[in-house]
Amino acid sequence: MKRSLGLWIMLLAVNIVFAQNPAKVTIKGSVVDTANMPAPYPTVMLLNPTDSSLINFTRADEKGGFEFKNVRNVPYLLKISLISYQPRQMLLPAHDKEVNDLGNVPIKPISLELMEVVIRTAKSTLSIHGDTIEYDASTFKVPPGSTVEDLLRRLPGIDVDADGNIKSQGKDVKKVYIDGKTFFGDDPKAATKNLGAETISKVQVFNEKSEQAKLTGVDDGQKNKVMNLELKAEYKKGSFGKITGALGDQDRWAARGNYNRFNTKEQFSLIGFGNNINQTGVNWEDYGEFKGQNAYNDFDSGDFGFNSGGGMRFFYSDGGGLTNWFDGRGFTKNYGGGINYNFDNGKKSKFNASYTYNQTDLNLDEYSFRQTFLLDTSFFNNDTLNRGEFRNNHILNGRLEQNLDSNNVLIVKANARLSNQDAGSSQSQFFSNSLEKANNRLSTDNDSNRDTWALTSSMIFRHRFKKKGRSFAFSAAFNQNQNDLDERFTSINRFFTANTFTDQIRQLNRDNNGNDELKSSILYTDALSKKWFWESFYNFSQSTSQNQRRVSDPELNDQLIENLSLFSDNKLLYNRLGSGIRYSHEGVNLSFGLAALQYNLHGEFSRDEDQPLVAPAVDRTFTHVTPNFSADIELLSNLSVNTSYSYSVVAPRFNDLRPVTTYNNPAFRSEGNPNLDPELSHNLSAGMYFWDPSSMSSMGLSMDYAIKESQIVYNQVIQSDDELGILSLTRPENVSGGREMSGYLWMNRPIIKTKLTLSANGSLRFSKNPAFVNGVENETQSNGGNISMSLSATPNPKLIFSLTGDLNMTNISYSIQSSQNQKIRNTGIDGNLKYQFAKKMFLETNLDYNIFRNDRFNFKQDIPIWNASVRRIIGKSNKIEMRLAAFDLLNKRLTINQNGSANFVERRISNTLARYFMLSMSYNVRGYENKLKKNNYW
């Protein structure tokens, strides 16, 4: 009885004490050094005293002042971090007043002899030094089995979208390093999707200067947001990895795994995957490197000078579309794997090499509806497409960076791709007139095999003189692209008119296209004063190609069909000489430049390689002067503005210059125009960016406007044909009057720090493009916009919730038939919930509701997609994870595309992978940590 009475008295006393304390409190103070002078801009954090997890944070002002308003009145661990000072920690008990004024909080400078010890032992949850943010990964709670991508979703100031694209401080992260080394090329997702969160010690985000700025020490205003993932000490040596396997109903399956072995100088990694659930794997490399047009990337730029690249459309080639990507249409079976090796001795040499292989087997059934407008009438075609396609890619990358000495750097880089595509398609096109009366049905079968080889290689040499700002750079590159295609094409045209007849065409197509390019650039910079700099550059490119299209008749022993065959021998010579001045001082970067460029195009066209020319050779020379201006200004309080102007000159493609008619589908034909001129446009842009490091809030605004002085459009002549029904002939022409404008506004703001974040963005776009249909000008205007808002909540370590709403609006108007104007509306709402409901057990679910509307055709389609899973960590060492997952529980998934352009509107609907269930098991070599997960994927 006495013991119970004593307990009641103790509880009553505790309640009285807490009742006397306010529920909310404001904590403030000023950080000073040992001389009682203000310590500017330290990072101040409130941590949980029990596990040091981050609760709130801010960045003090220039006088060291900080304030946390209306936070819960509970005990905190206050931590202060500032470069060159020892971290300071102090325990703050619950306060008995509404304002807890700490007064001056002194921090001690780090002495030289203590520097190494402090750097090695001090840990700060979050620290901000200039434009660098550093996170201590161990203090952010993520679940067992989480990837680096899952970890990044928990870090304040970092956003990761549904596709894995990363933003920090509102800017796209262009590259991810592992301990300062490249991981599988320049694709950030290769690292974040495949490395485990448990391997990471620190996450660092910063602005990386261009290679030229690093060499000269002069800021050229070119910066990219990059991320470095620092491994934990135990993962820098030894090996770690993870393997996952899954089985489901309807014979669904999936597997993936990775293995990594690192030390202080070397990194070795293996990645592999396979599945039949439409996951085509990581985006191994930026496909642009394999187009044969640019041997450089943003980080090894060898196309010196402003507006670089030359605007050459000659080497426009997508390699036959052989990249492994999935746009949501159809069903795929996928396999892939890769090996990556890095060497960095920290002084002179850096070497990276990687090999990857991936393949996709696609089966697609698609229905499409198109209405094409003429001056006073229109016609319809309803298409049904069945397509089977197998693609595979071998990709080999290598890069060597050698510091010859402190003033000379040599970079050698090569990328190679070998691809194959084996495809077969059957298409039925049903044509009808404006009264929807049947006219004809065109059925086509096309079997094809395509082999593609692409090589890009480059060498860049940079020399820095003793005088600051003076430098010299030289680059050379060789690019090669070979594209060989064999097609077996059959078409049957059936008419429904009084004079009904059937026309059948069979043909074999063999296309052999080879492209070679040599290019080089020279750059010289010098300092005119401490603030003004001068640069001059020269760009050279010589491109040659031989393209042969041989069409034969299989019914006549493969006899050549001359009017459909074409051989072309093309040469392009590009020269550009330019100069400019730059002002760079205290965050203000201005540049003014002028360049003169010349294109020399020579093309010869014949029916076969050794036959006479079908028309006089194309021999064109274009000379233009291109001005350029840019301004990047960093104002106070992390506000920056930028603006630019450029004059763009893009030479016509040789394919558009050919003086003959070609086609695959006899109802849709095209011919070239040897009198084409380059595309000319005035391009203006402006932007504003703001970041508040104390709250991790960011916002930005950007606008782009293009005035098309001359653009290449594809005019159409559409007419009735006694043999084909409806015949469409397309021919490129130069026109003027085109306009394009786009604007983008975004913001990200924590409402409750580390608990609730609001993200919002909106965009506007406008375009006006003239073209001619049957000799009558048709001006197509497309106006649209997008509004998106997202709330992400992490109220406690066991619960994560997010809600996103998105509205896309597009209005399309036509000058020849305004009655056909379109209003397309696509709306989406996405909700995600993750909850740890028991020890080592987790529930994850998401609902994605999409609404498609087009009032012109009374089209309405609602598609709700609901996924859910339950998973459990097994064993004392937490090395095994089991998961039961259900995808598309409502069985509603479809792929819908609505678009309008020129003189038509189109809607396409495709079947794709719908409801299925999977049971998966994962094994982690090192074991999982028992924490909540933020991703909903198996």
Side-chain angles (χ1 to χ4, degrees):
M1 180 70 181
K2 292 181 179 180
R3 181 177 299 176
S4 299
L5 180 61
L7 179 60
W8 279 107
I9 293 173
M10 183 183 299
L11 291 174
L12 179 62
V14 170
N15 285 333
I16 292 173
V17 170
F18 276 95
Q20 293 175 347
N21 292 338
K24 300 286 186 177
V25 65
T26 295
I27 302 173
K28 66 179 184 178
S30 297
V31 182
V32 298
D33 60 18
T34 52
N36 211 34
M37 298 297 293
Y41 304 116
T43 304
V44 186
M45 294 160 282
L46 294 179
L47 310 179
N48 188 323
T50 58
D51 60 5
S52 297
S53 60
L54 181 65
I55 296 175
N56 207 331
F57 63 89
T58 188
R59 191 188 191 194
D61 58 27
E62 69 276 7
K63 296 182 179 180
F66 64 90
E67 185 176 41
F68 297 97
K69 293 183 178 180
N70 297 321
V71 296
R72 290 182 60 202
N73 192 12
V74 296
Y76 293 106
L77 183 65
L78 180 76
K79 187 165 187 175
I80 301 172
S81 174
L82 182 63
I83 193 169
S84 301
Y85 288 84
Q86 298 181 33
R88 172 74 187 273
Q89 290 188 171
M90 54 190 298
L91 183 64
L92 303 180
H95 203 59
D96 58 355
K97 296 180 181 179
E98 293 184 352
V99 177
N100 185 1
D101 190 347
L102 304 178
N104 290 341
V105 182
I107 55 176
K108 298 179 180 180
I110 302 176
S111 60
L112 292 177
E113 58 270 18
L114 291 177
M115 177 73 76
E116 182 178 351
V117 176
V118 172
I119 290 176
R120 189 171 59 245
T121 60
K123 296 181 69 176
S124 177
T125 301
L126 173 71
S127 61
I128 304 171
H129 311 302
D131 62 8
T132 300
I133 306 176
E134 183 174 280
Y135 305 87
D136 178 6
S138 64
T139 62
F140 294 91
K141 307 295 183 180
V142 291
S146 295
T147 63
V148 171
E149 182 178 296
D150 303 322
L151 170 65
L152 299 180
R153 295 178 189 271
R154 298 302 303 262
L155 305 185
I158 293 181
D159 299 313
V160 183
D161 67 16
D163 296 323
N165 299 307
I166 309 166
K167 286 182 178 289
S168 178
Q169 303 161 250
K171 295 184 177 181
D172 292 328
V173 173
K174 299 291 187 180
K175 196 172 188 178
V176 172
Y177 296 104
I178 307 296
D179 278 343
K181 302 176 180 67
T182 303
F183 185 87
F184 277 101
D186 296 333
D187 180 17
K189 290 182 282 188
T192 59
K193 285 182 176 293
N194 291 286
L195 285 179
E198 73 278 1
T199 67
I200 305 302
S201 170
K202 293 180 181 179
V203 177
Q204 298 156 338
V205 183
F206 55 94
N207 293 326
E208 185 173 61
K209 295 181 179 179
S210 68
E211 295 297 328
Q212 186 67 20
K214 292 178 185 178
L215 183 72
T216 63
V218 178
D219 184 8
D220 59 4
Q222 305 299 314
K223 297 177 182 178
N224 286 291
K225 187 69 68 176
V226 299
M227 178 180 291
N228 181 53
L229 305 175
E230 184 176 312
L231 295 174
K232 293 178 180 177
E234 60 267 31
Y235 291 97
K236 292 184 178 182
K237 294 183 179 181
S239 59
F240 58 94
K242 175 184 176 182
I243 186 170
T244 298
L247 293 174
D249 66 330
Q250 307 171 59
D251 296 323
R252 299 297 167 193
W253 63 272
R256 68 185 181 199
N258 65 75
Y259 171 81
N260 305 275
R261 188 174 184 87
F262 292 176
N263 60 39
T264 56
K265 291 185 179 180
E266 297 175 296
Q267 297 177 346
F268 174 78
S269 301
L270 292 170
I271 295 176
F273 70 90
N275 64 78
N276 63 357
I277 58 173
N278 286 351
Q279 294 185 359
T280 57
V282 297
N283 177 20
W284 300 109
E285 282 293 338
D286 180 6
Y287 185 45
E289 296 183 358
F290 298 95
K291 287 184 176 179
Q293 183 172 352
N294 190 352
Y296 312 101
N297 60 31
D298 290 340
F299 305 93
D300 296 328
S301 181
D303 286 330
F304 305 137
F306 57 78
N307 218 22
S308 60
M312 288 169 285
R313 297 180 62 175
F314 163 72
F315 249 93
Y316 179 86
S317 168
D318 65 355
L322 298 177
T323 50
N324 257 5
W325 63 282
F326 183 64
D327 59 3
R329 302 184 301 152
F331 303 85
T332 63
K333 183 185 294 184
N334 312 279
Y335 297 92
I339 181 171
N340 184 76
Y341 174 76
N342 285 314
F343 173 82
D344 186 351
N345 64 8
K347 295 180 180 179
K348 288 189 174 183
S349 301
K350 293 182 180 181
F351 175 73
N352 167 257
S354 65
Y355 165 77
T356 58
Y357 171 81
N358 55 7
Q359 69 177 52
T360 291
D361 197 351
L362 168 70
N363 186 275
L364 169 66
D365 289 298
E366 181 176 79
Y367 169 79
S368 63
F369 168 83
R370 176 185 285 202
Q371 182 177 8
T372 303
F373 318 126
L374 305 179
L375 179 61
D376 53 2
T377 186
S378 63
F379 69 90
F380 303 88
N381 59 294
N382 295 271
D383 297 354
T384 302
L385 172 68
N386 173 261
R387 181 173 177 82
E389 180 181 294
F390 176 81
R391 304 174 176 181
N392 65 63
N393 302 279
H394 299 266
I395 306 168
L396 183 65
N397 299 324
R399 182 182 185 275
L400 172 66
E401 180 177 334
Q402 185 73 33
N403 292 319
L404 305 177
D405 53 41
S406 59
N407 294 320
N408 295 281
V409 178
L410 178 66
I411 298 173
V412 180
K413 180 178 179 180
N415 308 299
R417 176 189 290 265
L418 180 64
S419 303
N420 172 261
Q421 176 195 46
D422 192 1
S425 65
S426 297
Q427 186 175 21
S428 177
Q429 297 179 286
F430 185 87
F431 293 86
S432 57
N433 61 22
S434 59
L435 300 177
E436 300 191 32
K437 181 180 178 181
N439 186 73
N440 67 296
R441 173 183 284 119
L442 179 64
S443 301
T444 60
D445 291 304
N446 190 359
D447 296 321
S448 65
N449 182 270
R450 185 190 299 269
D451 293 307
T452 300
W453 156 260
L455 169 70
T456 63
S457 59
S458 63
M459 181 276 291
I460 304 172
F461 172 75
R462 300 180 185 272
H463 172 73
R464 176 174 57 195
F465 294 90
K466 292 183 179 180
K467 179 183 177 181
K468 181 180 179 181
R470 179 180 293 175
S471 67
F472 169 80
F474 169 79
S475 69
F478 173 71
N479 304 324
Q480 186 178 76
N481 184 296
Q482 182 68 37
N483 192 329
D484 299 325
L485 170 67
D486 289 331
E487 287 183 302
R488 182 177 293 272
F489 179 82
T490 303
S491 70
I492 301 177
N493 204 359
R494 296 182 176 90
F495 290 81
F496 306 109
T497 59
N499 300 320
T500 298
F501 67 91
T502 299
D503 183 37
Q504 180 169 326
I505 297 175
R506 295 179 184 272
Q507 64 188 54
L508 295 175
N509 303 330
R510 291 186 174 88
D511 290 359
N512 301 103
N513 304 309
N515 307 315
D516 293 324
E517 181 182 40
L518 286 170
K519 59 192 305 186
S520 182
S521 290
I522 297 174
L523 174 69
Y524 177 78
T525 65
D526 205 348
L528 302 177
S529 67
K530 291 183 178 180
K531 302 177 183 179
W532 290 92
F533 303 88
W534 166 69
E535 67 176 32
S536 290
F537 57 88
Y538 171 68
N539 307 123
F540 164 83
S541 173
Q542 179 175 289
S543 306
T544 61
S545 70
Q546 286 191 339
N547 306 309
Q548 183 175 45
R549 178 176 177 80
R550 197 175 193 279
V551 182
S552 58
D553 189 344
E555 304 293 332
L556 299 174
N557 297 320
D558 293 345
Q559 179 179 332
L560 183 71
I561 304 176
E562 289 195 358
N563 66 321
L564 297 181
S565 300
L566 184 67
F567 175 82
S568 63
D569 189 356
N570 307 314
K571 296 179 175 63
L572 183 147
L573 182 64
Y574 171 75
N575 288 277
R576 185 174 74 140
L577 180 64
S579 186
I581 58 173
R582 178 181 301 279
Y583 174 86
S584 180
H585 181 65
E586 294 184 351
V588 178
N589 204 291
L590 308 174
S591 68
F592 313 84
L594 197 67
L597 64 84
Q598 185 178 81
Y599 287 102
N600 298 102
L601 291 82
H602 180 82
E604 297 179 353
F605 301 89
S606 60
R607 292 303 179 185
D608 211 343
E609 184 171 2
D610 298 322
Q611 292 190 6
L613 301 184
V614 296
V618 173
D619 205 345
R620 307 291 304 278
T621 298
F622 308 111
T623 303
H624 292 271
V625 176
T626 60
N628 184 274
F629 166 76
S630 67
D632 294 275
I633 302 174
E634 297 180 5
L635 304 174
L636 299 177
S637 303
N638 298 289
L639 174 66
S640 63
V641 295
N642 63 82
T643 185
S644 68
Y645 165 81
S646 64
Y647 185 66
S648 174
V649 180
V650 181
R653 294 183 296 173
F654 277 106
N655 191 49
D656 288 335
L657 296 170
R658 55 182 167 76
V660 295
T661 301
T662 60
Y663 63 85
N664 254 4
N665 189 328
F668 297 92
R669 306 185 179 192
S670 64
E671 68 176 12
N673 179 2
N675 297 315
L676 282 178
D677 291 326
E679 289 191 304
L680 308 174
S681 64
H682 302 269
N683 308 295
L684 301 98
S685 68
M688 180 274 293
Y689 170 75
F690 172 73
W691 175 54
D692 181 6
S694 64
S695 63
M696 287 291 180
S697 300
S698 59
M699 68 171 294
L701 171 68
S702 65
M703 295 188 68
D704 295 281
Y705 185 65
I707 303 172
K708 299 181 179 180
E709 182 179 325
S710 174
Q711 67 182 109
I712 296 175
V713 301
Y714 297 91
N715 297 333
Q716 297 182 68
V717 175
I718 301 172
Q719 58 193 20
S720 296
D721 186 90
D722 292 337
E723 296 183 359
L724 295 172
I726 297 175
L727 171 64
S728 176
L729 178 64
T730 303
R731 187 174 192 268
E733 301 280 357
N734 288 102
V735 299
S736 61
R739 300 286 188 273
E740 288 185 357
M741 187 275 288
S742 63
Y744 184 59
L745 173 67
W746 52 263
M747 62 84 66
N748 180 280
R749 180 175 179 80
I751 300 175
I752 303 174
K753 290 180 181 178
T754 74
K755 301 294 183 183
L756 182 64
T757 300
L758 171 67
S759 298
N761 63 73
S763 64
L764 292 173
R765 57 188 181 274
F766 163 80
S767 67
K768 182 178 71 171
N769 292 295
F772 288 84
V773 179
N774 289 350
V776 179
E777 183 177 5
N778 175 41
E779 186 176 271
T780 303
Q781 290 194 14
S782 178
N783 305 323
N786 169 270
I787 300 174
S788 178
M789 296 189 69
S790 176
L791 279 172
S792 178
T794 54
N796 59 62
K798 294 187 177 182
L799 178 65
I800 299 173
F801 174 77
S802 66
L803 181 65
T804 302
D806 188 81
L807 172 63
N808 283 283
M809 303 163 287
T810 302
N811 295 340
I812 304 172
S813 62
Y814 307 91
S815 62
I816 60 174
Q817 280 204 37
S818 59
S819 61
Q820 305 298 337
N821 294 349
Q822 309 292 306
K823 291 184 178 180
I824 300 173
R825 303 289 184 267
N826 298 330
T827 306
I829 301 174
D830 181 74
N832 291 272
L833 177 69
K834 293 89 180 178
Y835 178 59
Q836 183 178 357
F837 61 91
K839 185 178 181 181
K840 295 188 177 183
M841 295 194 68
F842 306 86
L843 169 68
E844 301 172 3
T845 183
N846 74 289
L847 177 64
D848 187 6
Y849 199 103
N850 290 287
I851 304 169
F852 300 89
R853 295 289 186 269
N854 189 331
D855 294 338
R856 171 67 184 81
F857 297 106
N858 196 29
F859 177 74
K860 298 180 180 180
Q861 183 82 53
D862 296 357
I863 302 181
I865 307 297
W866 180 24
N867 303 321
S869 70
V870 177
R871 65 187 183 93
R872 177 179 173 82
I873 306 300
I874 300 174
K876 293 183 179 180
S877 59
N878 296 331
K879 291 186 175 182
I880 299 175
E881 175 190 278
M882 298 293 295
R883 179 189 293 269
L884 178 63
F887 299 87
D888 189 17
L889 280 163
L890 304 178
N891 202 29
K892 295 289 187 179
R893 189 184 298 275
L894 282 174
T895 300
I896 297 176
N897 293 290
Q898 301 184 82
N899 64 84
S901 178
N903 64 322
F904 72 87
V905 292
E906 183 181 51
R907 180 175 67 251
R908 293 183 294 142
I909 300 177
S910 312
N911 289 328
T912 189
L913 185 60
R915 180 169 55 200
Y916 65 101
F917 302 87
M918 298 199 79
L919 178 65
S920 67
M921 183 177 74
S922 299
Y923 177 79
N924 191 311
V925 174
R926 297 269 184 159
Y928 299 118
E929 297 177 7
N930 188 22
K931 302 171 185 176
L932 179 65
K933 190 174 184 181
K934 190 177 173 67
N935 199 354
N936 66 323
Y937 300 109
W938 63 269

